[in-house]
């Protein structure tokens, strides 16, 4: 039989990737009858009051003449569903005073695919006449979302700046953008064509401050490049933000990525991009080629809820308190069970994750992951979230970050008994594996 061979695109994207290895392993069943503590993965919690809100909206669609048949029986335009785009533009422009209209909103099948489109629109080979230049996407703060790491079609097009960290009282710390390193990098490299941050950050629960965002935005303007801000956990929905000082920001240099996933609709795959008109047009054109159109159901259900303000009210009064309580409780269990160890937790400012640092862990967290898995506890080892060191040595290799192999990402969305027991086992194994 002949060997199936793939293009460079295929070889790069279908080969080995960190996220594939991780998802593969996460999906492998644990031994039968072993209790499991699922603190890995990125699934949001199912919140009954939120599911009820969507169920009621779906019932309205079903009861309204041919609306259901129309929703499931027609493609929307590649840019998205007109009524939904209008609802999003109108809500955001009224709420935040942003000068946007429907021409500034594009819908994709989840914000993950929006990132894939954007990253490849703004990195890789640019040809001007006979001159070809390879341009790069820069992540101003690692550790950063693992789901970005392998999205470039061409290789060697992502670079990153290691964070610096501020120790805080009570076994807590916070990451900040290392602006000296970032600014020097930008001054010395004219091949950076976009920057991207997640805010709140998956994996750490960090929320870049308003000051940091305005400084990043000023750099984007100075170098005339887009700043992609991934707001999958942010304001105004799903509002999984527990800190002040996290104002949503948009201007013509910012590409704001939003999603309906973390407010309870992950399976309906609805990503929302707010950007200047040329970028929105490009995304619509790309979506036509790659997907024809995006799925309609999430847009049909959420559109009226955005228009009436119910979605944002639910985010503020149900989703945020739900996660805040869980996050605070989990931090409490970490501090209780890890007491006496040399550990710290990233300040829990948002997202559905906590980031646990064990300074004196004797084994790398990739190995610790297997030790925990044997006891039924699933987590994500920290190494995966460090990627993109430049190959010219202008910043240290990612492995040199003092937290590189000492952190775990913990999803705290599961029921409290499961999370507490999982943390207890992590602490037991940590104390067994200290230097
Ligand atoms: N961005 C971040 C930071 C995420 O954590 C995720 C999912 O976990 C996504 C984007 C993608 O979400 P979706 O494609 O479901 O909108």
């Amino acid at each position: 039989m002949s060997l199936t061979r793939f293009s460079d695109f295929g070889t790069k994207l279908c080969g080995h990737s960190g996220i594939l290895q991780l998802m593969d392993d996460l999906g492998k069943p644990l031994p039968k009858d072993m209790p499991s503590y699922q603190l890995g993965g990125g699934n949001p919690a199912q919140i009954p009051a939120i599911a009820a809100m969507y169920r009621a909206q779906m019932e309205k669609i079903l009861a309204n003449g041919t609306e259901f048949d129309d929703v499931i029986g027609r493609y929307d335009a590649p840019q998205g569903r007109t009524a939904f785009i209008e609802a999003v533009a109108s809500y955001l422009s009224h709420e935040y005073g942003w000068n946007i209209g429907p021409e500034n909103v594009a819908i994709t099948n989840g914000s993950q695919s929006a990132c894939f489109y954007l990253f490849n629109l703004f990195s890789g080979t640019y040809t001007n006449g006979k001159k070809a230049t390879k341009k790069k996407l820069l992540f101003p703060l690692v550790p950063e979302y693992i789901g970005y790491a392998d999205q470039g079609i061409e290789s060697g097009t992502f670079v990153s700046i290691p964070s610096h960290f501020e120790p805080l009282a009570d076994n807590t710390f916070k990451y900040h953008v290392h602006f000296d390193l970032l600014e020097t990098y930008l001054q010395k490299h004219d091949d950076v064509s976009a920057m991207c941050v997640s805010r709140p950050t998956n994996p750490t629960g960090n929320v870049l401050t308003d000051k940091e965002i305005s400084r990043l935005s000023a750099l984007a303007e100075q170098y005339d490049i887009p700043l992609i801000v991934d707001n999958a956990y942010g304001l105004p929905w799903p509002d999984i933000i527990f800190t002040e000082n996290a104002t949503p920001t948009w201007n013509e240099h910012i590409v704001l990525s939003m999603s309906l996933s973390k407010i309870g609709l992950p399976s309906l795959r609805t990503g929302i991009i707010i950007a200047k008109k040329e970028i929105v047009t490009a995304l619509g054109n790309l979506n036509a080629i790659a997907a024809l159109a995006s799925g309609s159901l999430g847009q049909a259900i959420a559109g009226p809820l955005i228009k009436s303000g119910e979605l944002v009210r639910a985010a503020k009064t149900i989703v945020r308190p739900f996660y805040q309580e869980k996050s605070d409780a989990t931090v409490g269990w970490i501090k209780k069970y890890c007491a006496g160890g040399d550990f710290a937790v990233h300040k829990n400012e948002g997202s559905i994750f906590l980031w646990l640092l064990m300074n004196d862990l004797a084994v790398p967290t990739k190995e610790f992951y297997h030790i925990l898995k044997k006891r039924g506890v699933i987590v994500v080892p920290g190494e995966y979230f460090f990627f993109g060191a430049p190959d010219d040595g202008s910043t240290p290799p990612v492995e040199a970050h003092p937290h590189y192999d000492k952190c775990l990402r913990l999803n705290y969305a599961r029921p409290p008994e499961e999370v507490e027991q999982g943390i207890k086992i992590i602490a037991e194994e940590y104390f067994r594996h200290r230097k």
Side-chain angles (χ1 to χ4, degrees):
M1 210 166 78
S2 66
L3 196 67
T4 306
R5 297 202 49 194
F6 294 120
S7 65
D8 289 358
F9 167 90
T11 308
K12 164 115 182 11
L13 275 90
C14 310
H16 183 84
S17 67
I19 194 148
L20 176 68
Q21 184 191 338
L22 183 79
M23 297 310 286
D24 221 29
D25 196 55
L26 285 176
K28 282 194 187 130
L30 291 166
K32 234 176 154 199
D33 303 328
M34 178 188 262
S36 75
Y37 309 95
Q38 301 288 344
L39 278 56
N43 265 325
Q46 289 185 344
I47 307 176
I50 297 296
M53 173 180 77
Y54 295 132
R55 184 183 288 269
Q57 194 57 39
M58 187 67 189
E59 279 161 1
K60 276 191 201 162
I61 292 173
L62 289 166
N64 184 25
T66 62
E67 188 179 347
F68 178 71
D69 307 33
D70 292 340
V71 169
I72 64 164
R74 288 197 190 132
Y75 292 117
D76 285 322
Q79 189 195 331
R81 192 173 181 81
T82 308
F84 183 73
I85 286 176
E86 282 170 1
V88 169
S90 158
Y91 186 88
L92 296 176
S93 58
H94 281 112
E95 186 64 24
Y96 301 119
W98 298 344
N99 182 20
I100 58 168
E103 68 281 9
N104 299 104
V105 182
I107 308 304
T108 56
N109 287 309
S111 62
Q112 184 75 12
S113 50
C115 291
F116 181 73
Y117 291 167
L118 288 164
F119 291 179
N120 288 295
L121 280 173
F122 291 113
S123 70
T125 304
Y126 284 57
T127 305
N128 188 0
K130 284 194 176 143
K131 192 165 170 246
T133 327
K134 197 154 169 165
K135 302 248 181 186
K136 293 187 175 160
L137 179 75
L138 185 149
F139 297 99
L141 187 157
V142 289
E144 182 54 281
Y145 175 41
I146 183 179
Y148 299 151
D150 296 295
Q151 284 207 320
I153 291 175
E154 290 180 44
S155 41
T157 53
F158 291 178
V159 290
S160 65
I161 305 291
S163 63
H164 76 86
F165 56 96
E166 176 192 9
L168 300 167
D170 198 16
N171 298 86
T172 309
F173 69 103
K174 177 170 165 60
Y175 287 130
H176 292 286
V177 176
H178 201 315
F179 276 102
D180 289 348
L181 276 183
L182 172 64
E183 287 175 5
T184 307
Y185 189 89
L186 287 169
Q187 278 156 21
K188 292 196 172 152
H189 298 80
D190 60 4
D191 59 353
V192 175
S193 47
M195 297 189 283
C196 175
V197 288
S198 61
R199 184 196 198 224
T201 307
N202 171 358
T204 57
N206 187 32
V207 173
L208 293 170
T209 62
D210 287 345
K211 232 169 148 180
E212 284 174 308
I213 285 290
S214 82
R215 206 160 157 191
L216 287 172
S217 168
L219 285 170
E221 190 171 350
Q222 181 185 340
Y223 288 93
D224 197 18
I225 54 177
L227 169 67
I228 301 164
V229 180
D230 182 345
N231 188 36
Y233 301 91
L235 285 158
W237 67 78
D239 198 348
I240 312 177
I241 290 204
F242 320 132
T243 177
E244 301 302 309
N245 198 9
T247 320
T249 306
W250 185 82
N251 59 48
E252 289 248 312
H253 279 94
I254 290 182
V255 177
L256 189 68
S257 174
M258 301 174 62
S259 172
L260 296 180
S261 294
K262 311 298 173 180
I263 187 155
L265 297 178
S267 79
L268 296 187
R269 312 305 302 127
T270 316
I272 304 160
I273 294 296
I274 315 297
K276 68 176 176 181
K277 194 166 164 257
E278 293 83 342
I279 295 177
V280 164
T281 305
L283 289 172
N285 295 354
L286 225 172
N287 209 28
I289 291 172
L292 294 186
S294 302
S296 307
L297 195 54
Q299 301 180 69
I301 291 176
L305 298 171
I306 291 172
K307 205 167 167 189
S308 68
E310 194 178 343
L311 191 87
V312 173
R313 253 193 321 276
K316 202 192 192 79
T317 59
I318 300 170
V319 178
R320 185 207 297 178
F322 174 90
Y323 282 107
Q324 173 134 39
E325 196 188 323
K326 277 181 171 294
S327 175
D328 289 346
T330 311
V331 171
W333 293 322
I334 292 173
K335 289 183 179 169
K336 175 176 161 191
Y337 293 117
C338 294
D342 182 5
F343 75 98
V345 192
H346 192 286
K347 195 174 172 199
N348 60 331
E349 299 181 305
S351 88
I352 61 176
F353 307 107
L354 287 167
W355 182 248
L356 170 62
L357 165 69
M358 294 157 290
N359 281 311
D360 53 352
L361 190 68
V363 293
T365 39
K366 270 190 182 173
E367 214 175 302
F368 195 51
Y369 162 81
H370 290 288
I371 294 167
L372 294 175
K373 196 173 173 188
K374 281 200 188 112
R375 296 202 53 197
V377 182
I378 304 297
V379 298
V380 183
E383 289 94 330
Y384 289 108
F385 302 92
F386 292 85
F387 56 85
D391 48 18
D392 64 358
S394 50
T395 66
V398 287
E399 294 80 6
H401 193 288
H403 297 174
Y404 173 69
D405 56 0
K406 295 188 165 29
C407 295
L408 296 177
R409 189 193 77 174
L410 309 173
N411 180 331
Y412 60 78
R414 299 283 301 165
E417 318 74 56
E418 182 177 331
V419 176
E420 179 175 5
Q421 192 55 27
I423 300 292
K424 197 159 169 248
I425 296 171
I426 293 170
E428 281 168 18
E429 292 301 336
Y430 164 47
F431 282 111
R432 238 174 244 153
H433 294 88
R434 287 175 73 195
K435 277 183 189 149

